[in-house]
Amino acid sequence: MDPLDQAAACIREGKVVAFPTETVYGLGANALDPMAAARIFELKERPAFDPLIVHIADLSQLQLLTPSKDPRLTRLAEAFWPGPLTVVVPKTERVPDLVTSGLPTVGVRMPDHPMAQELIRRSGCPIAAPSANKFGRISPTAAQHVTRHMPEVDFVLDGGETRVGIESTIIALRPDGYVILRPGAITREDLNRILPESASPVAAGSPEAPGMLASHYSPAKPFHLFTPTLLQRLDPSKCGFISYRGNAPQGFARVLTLAPDGDLKAYAAGIFGAMHQLEASGVECLVAEPVPEQGIGIAIMDRLRKAAHEHGLPG
């Protein structure tokens, strides 16, 4: 049987499938089936307060998920879908409360990956899918990352390495514009060409969208952001270094250079893969070089700071 047909059959049976998107691999199940959604939370060991993103392949599926007729959603879809943008909108009663962690809203996006889109079409339903990794750990950007860390997944679709490499930008609509809940490849500058940014602050408390916790994306080994004083407290000969442009300090056991030409998109595409590679190697800790906080660099630094939150030393 064709792998896509096998995967779609699993989705229809209430099982969980790991599949590629342009951002990272997702751990997907029927978004309208609460038992299937519960299986995602179980496999990921994900807390119930952290909502899931729902993926669609066609704009007609929006009516299953939201009653919203907000013209701004149409403008955003025309500009950025399919693509790495998730929009938080009011949910319909058909969306299980478990999927939205009890919130009256749901995050929706249309992935820009032919295999993801075809899986949704063949399954005949929107697919709820967080990243296909244990909660809080490194997001997977290749099928082997999933099979190494989550062998219990019912089916894994191999679509090669992902193109964008970090999770989607998540925004919520406010009366006066939009707010960014999680930065990603779609930047503030991109969004400002379509809508004004809201002056409303992002509410504190329970997360309104995935990826809003202080600690996330962490390797199992200690992970640090590089600072000039870090080498006074670490033995670099036992550490791996993820370099932006190749300007790595001397003495590190392994150095992976992701963007020798300074392309921040290349760094974003490779950062999680580099973390997986070093985590599986013999090094005792991981160190990453910070990047300029401009454009997609804002999203990269968001991921690096959250990855370092669990183990990182103060700068």
Side-chain angles (χ1 to χ4, degrees):
M1 183 186 293
D2 175 81
L4 270 165
D5 284 336
Q6 289 179 271
C10 285
I11 296 290
R12 291 193 298 271
E13 292 166 7
K15 296 180 180 178
V16 175
V17 171
F19 65 98
T21 75
E22 79 279 23
T23 58
V24 300
Y25 273 69
L27 189 66
N30 183 345
L32 305 181
D33 180 346
M35 295 301 293
R39 180 73 173 142
I40 293 176
F41 281 88
E42 178 185 11
L43 287 176
K44 275 187 66 75
E45 300 171 4
R46 184 184 184 93
F49 61 74
D50 202 20
L52 307 179
I53 291 172
V54 177
H55 297 68
I56 60 174
D58 189 277
L59 288 177
S60 64
Q61 292 178 314
L62 276 175
Q63 63 185 348
L64 297 171
L65 306 174
T66 180
S68 176
K69 305 297 182 186
D70 192 326
R72 297 176 299 173
L73 178 57
T74 302
R75 289 165 59 193
L76 289 165
E78 289 174 348
F80 300 116
W81 285 357
L85 177 70
T86 296
V87 185
V88 175
V89 292
K91 82 175 188 74
T92 65
E93 292 184 358
R94 294 197 64 177
V95 181
D97 286 341
L98 179 61
V99 169
T100 66
S101 297
L103 296 170
T105 55
V106 60
V108 184
R109 88 175 186 98
M110 185 185 294
D112 187 15
H113 194 291
M115 191 171 280
Q117 292 185 5
E118 190 60 23
L119 174 63
I120 298 167
R121 292 190 188 98
R122 295 191 194 186
S123 299
C125 62
I127 292 180
S131 55
N133 55 290
K134 293 296 185 182
F135 179 74
R137 293 306 179 191
I138 314 170
S139 298
T141 54
Q144 59 265 34
H145 299 159
V146 182
T147 55
R148 182 160 69 92
H149 289 284
M150 301 194 75
E152 65 273 38
V153 173
D154 295 312
F155 195 88
V156 178
L157 269 176
D158 190 344
E161 294 187 358
T162 62
R163 173 172 54 84
V164 175
I166 57 174
E167 298 81 0
S168 64
T169 304
I170 303 178
I171 67 170
L173 298 177
R174 303 288 194 250
D176 60 338
Y178 75 90
V179 292
I180 294 177
L181 302 179
R182 179 179 72 186
I186 303 296
T187 66
R188 174 175 279 107
E189 291 76 15
D190 297 326
L191 292 162
N192 285 345
R193 286 193 282 268
I194 307 300
L195 294 177
E197 188 170 4
S198 171
S200 303
V202 175
S206 297
E208 195 173 346
M212 295 182 69
L213 300 178
S215 179
H216 217 70
Y217 319 110
S218 301
K221 295 179 178 179
F223 179 85
H224 311 283
L225 267 173
F226 180 76
T227 66
T229 61
L230 186 66
L231 297 182
Q232 299 172 12
R233 290 167 284 174
L234 292 180
D235 180 354
S237 69
K238 298 179 180 179
C239 298
F241 189 86
I242 301 172
S243 177
Y244 171 35
R245 304 190 66 168
N247 302 317
Q250 296 295 315
F252 279 89
R254 294 192 64 184
V255 176
L256 301 179
T257 300
L258 302 186
D261 60 354
D263 185 353
L264 284 171
K265 290 184 178 179
Y267 192 100
I271 185 62
F272 285 143
M275 289 164 70
H276 278 286
Q277 185 177 340
L278 290 176
E279 182 187 61
S281 73
V283 301
E284 294 182 4
C285 74
L286 286 65
V287 178
E289 181 180 4
V291 301
E293 293 196 60
Q294 58 193 38
I296 197 172
I298 294 172
I300 294 168
M301 290 304 297
D302 170 76
R303 301 322 190 265
L304 294 181
R305 288 192 179 101
K306 288 176 178 175
H309 186 271
E310 181 177 348
H311 295 293
L313 298 171

